[in-house]
Amino acid sequence: MSLNLHPSHASSVPSSAHFAPGAMMSMTPRSKPVVSLASPQAQAATVWPSGDVTERQAIIHGLSQVKPTISPKYFYDERGSALFETITRLPEYYVTRVEQSIFERHGNSIAASVGADSVVIEPGAGNCEKARALCDRLHSTEFVGIDISTEHLQEAAKRLSDVLPWLRVRAIAGDITEPIRLPEDLPRRNRLVFYPGSSIGNFEPAQAVHLLSQMRAMLGEASDGGSLLIGIDLPKPVHILQAAYDDASGVTAAFNRNALDHVNRLIGSDFDSQHWKHRAFFNAECSRVEMHLVALHDMRVSWPGGGREFSMGERIHTENSYKYSLDVFAALLREAGFGQYQSWTDDQDWFAVIHARP
Ligand code: AVJ
């Protein structure tokens, strides 16, 4: 199944195929450097964009919209992944801690629901710390971590394999919005797709259903015993959300701005991230936190072969983080082919861990 969607923003331009099963190098051919000879700076600044052609087209497409967008997947270069880890430890960012508390408090019940000997597949595995706790507890046999931030993942997979020597660990460079090719020899029985952290909230509901369907497809036949363990962030008082996405120490602001530095490297653009202000707010109508970058003054941003003007106050939409109620999310699960589920929440009903079966 093919899914050419970016988190948050449906786009007609497919993003690049990032995945290279079993290898940590991108198999995508890199393009030649692009230099606009018409530009007076061309001689001084030869630009060597590191992104491949399709990816560059997709990014430029997003930036060229009347309401410009950058996909939240561009938060996660090396620096962005490190900043995100810092976010997860911020006092205001309840998400990671509350989810963790649910796993601790209901660990037995969750483990009983999932069962032993599972083959854990985690899209967006990041530092693999959640996988470590899960695979340890569930006595999983194999783990497949998938992430776009490849070096980060590779190191994490190595650490995981060091602490859980009986676990077969594999790391795959991949973008979850692309069809992911799992290793040929991955057992079919008892697969568990693990998607914690409420990352599913980055997608519009229709995209979320596509992704969930894709996860459903990874599980094989219903008789193979596969299932999905997923975290979702529930609706809660707005001031809590506001603080979580606009923390006092400015880490989330730096995380947001870093997307511009990352995009500069991918398309050869000249964004000055210091000239953009972080903005986060809850959009009640859509039940989502939105993050934007706001231009601090009029400016022109150029990239090889093009560019655009931004006027003061103009925004680039960088992220949606949906806050689904259990009922709404259960309907998405059903649509994606998951007929049964069990869920666990914290005392305040801020977050839910859901175990779903076809
Ligand atoms: C990793 C997508 C779950 O939406 O809360 C953290 C990313 N953005 N702070 C989230 C994020 C701003 C995070 N997810």
Side-chain angles (χ1 to χ4, degrees), residues 30-93:
R30 297 281 138 160
S31 58
K32 297 260 161 53
V34 180
V35 177
S36 166
L37 293 174
S39 149
Q41 299 103 310
Q43 298 293 33
T46 303
V47 182
W48 294 80
S50 64
D52 63 72
V53 179
T54 342
E55 178 167 54
R56 202 155 65 229
Q57 281 171 347
I59 296 169
I60 290 169
H61 179 81
L63 288 174
S64 306
Q65 301 303 298
V66 177
K67 290 188 169 181
T69 60
I70 292 175
S71 165
K73 72 179 176 186
Y74 297 114
F75 289 143
Y76 303 97
D77 61 355
E78 289 305 304
R79 177 161 184 265
S81 297
L83 284 168
F84 178 67
E85 275 191 42
T86 307
I87 288 174
T88 64
R89 292 188 288 268
L90 291 173
E92 297 99 327
Y93 194 74

Side-chain angles (χ1 to χ4, degrees), residues 75-76 84 87 93 95 196-202 233 244-245 252 255 291 319-321 323:
F75 289 143
Y76 303 97
F84 178 67
I87 288 174
Y93 194 74
V95 178
S198 75
S199 295
I200 194 72
N202 267 177
D233 197 20
Y245 289 84
T252 308
F255 173 71
M291 297 213 310
E319 186 178 49
N320 289 322
S321 189
K323 307 306 166 192

